Amino acid sequence: MNNNGMMEKEEIFSKVLRAGRRTYFFDVRATKAEDYYLTITESKKFTNDDGSYHYKKHKIYIYKEDFSEFREILAEMTDFIISEKGNEVISERHQKDFKKDYEQTPVESTTTEDIKSTDSFTDIDFDDI
């Protein structure tokens, strides 16, 4: 039970999609009249500075009378994104083997002022440590 004394709606059928720090919950629930509707919940994990964590959740409700148009628009939007940008994930956050290419100064533009003298460095033999 929640704070206003109403019973939480029972989940009839559920699926979970884990996607990095986000988790999506797809839940079929029943109305008081025993009709079904869909809830989609996005749960995102946030880590505090002290190492503890909390979740932020966003939920949408989709009712049967909206299913057809919702499905059509979702398909249209996802098809558009795939046709415009392909299936490859571009964001470096999502690439497990991502290596940033650092800009290097071309050899021709290096001046003698840019080159540091190695005279002040000490040669260390790790066997001495």
Side-chain angles (χ1 to χ4, degrees):
M1 254 194 214
N2 62 20
N3 292 340
N4 22 350
M6 295 177 60
M7 297 262 313
E8 187 67 28
K9 301 284 187 225
E10 181 182 342
E11 294 174 10
I12 309 299
F13 180 66
S14 296
K15 291 270 187 170
V16 176
L17 170 62
R18 287 177 176 46
R21 292 184 343 165
R22 289 182 172 86
T23 302
Y24 299 97
F25 299 91
F26 299 84
D27 300 306
V28 174
R29 297 177 184 265
T31 65
K32 289 180 184 177
E34 296 300 319
D35 202 1
Y36 290 169
Y37 64 98
L38 172 67
T39 63
I40 302 174
T41 306
E42 175 203 41
S43 178
K44 187 173 178 183
K45 185 177 183 178
F46 290 90
T47 305
N48 301 319
D49 292 337
D50 64 0
S52 63
Y53 56 89
H54 66 280
Y55 294 93
K56 287 189 179 179
K57 295 182 180 183
H58 298 92
K59 185 177 284 199
I60 63 169
Y61 297 81
I62 305 167
Y63 297 94
K64 288 191 324 188
E65 60 267 24
D66 303 323
F67 283 178
S68 179
E69 286 180 316
F70 185 88
R71 183 183 297 166
E72 287 174 16
I73 292 172
L74 180 62
E76 181 181 358
M77 294 301 179
T78 56
D79 289 347
F80 173 81
I81 292 169
I82 299 301
S83 70
E84 291 291 316
K85 297 297 181 179
N87 285 322
E88 181 183 4
V89 177
I90 298 170
S91 171
E92 66 187 48
R93 283 184 267 195
H94 294 95
Q95 294 180 7
K96 295 176 184 170
D97 60 345
F98 177 81
K99 292 182 183 168
K100 187 150 182 98
D101 292 330
Y102 294 99
E103 286 187 26
Q104 296 181 357
T105 307
V107 176
E108 304 85 61
S109 67
T110 304
T111 64
T112 54
E113 294 172 9
D114 294 332
I115 301 171
K116 304 285 185 208
S117 170
T118 58
D119 296 340
S120 63
F121 293 104
T122 305
D123 188 21
I124 298 176
D125 188 355
F126 287 104
D127 292 338
D128 295 340
I129 298 179

